[in-house]
Amino acid sequence: MKLRAPEGCASICHEGRIFVVAADGTLDVNDEMVAVLAAHGFMPCDQALTHAAESPPSPDEKIDISALNRAGLFAFLKAHGIRASRRDTNEKLRAAARAALQARRNVKDL
């Protein structure tokens, strides 16, 4: 079954096997893995498209940077065109994310 991976996910390891997420954000897995991966934010491709069409993200939506985990911080920074290193601390990543949000707000105010 083809699943849509959560934002920022590049690969997973399940029962000792590594599965790489394709460039389009999808992953082919057997039916037994679907329930396991659903608990981690993966969803069937057709359901992911329906979900995206029903609730498009608002550009003005409040983002709580302090609530993002490390993977979320990397995904947020990547989406905003900011490069980060695995050596960066979470606090440095959060500072960069806050700066990106502030820059976006400043541009919007112009």
Side-chain angles (χ1 to χ4, degrees), residues 22-73:
D24 65 354
T26 61
L27 181 68
D28 286 315
V29 297
N30 60 35
D31 291 341
E32 293 82 37
M33 290 177 58
V34 173
V36 173
L37 295 177
H40 297 283
F42 288 80
M43 58 178 63
C45 283
D46 57 345
Q47 184 181 356
L49 293 175
T50 303
H51 180 67
E54 290 173 354
S55 59
S58 168
D60 297 330
E61 185 178 6
K62 297 275 185 190
I63 298 172
D64 184 7
I65 298 297
S66 61
L68 293 176
N69 63 14
R70 190 166 179 82
L73 289 166

Side-chain angles (χ1 to χ4, degrees), residues 60 80 99-110:
D60 297 330
H80 287 81
L101 274 180
Q102 188 60 46
R104 188 171 72 178
R105 287 182 187 127
N106 291 343
V107 168
K108 187 189 280 187
D109 291 340
L110 292 177

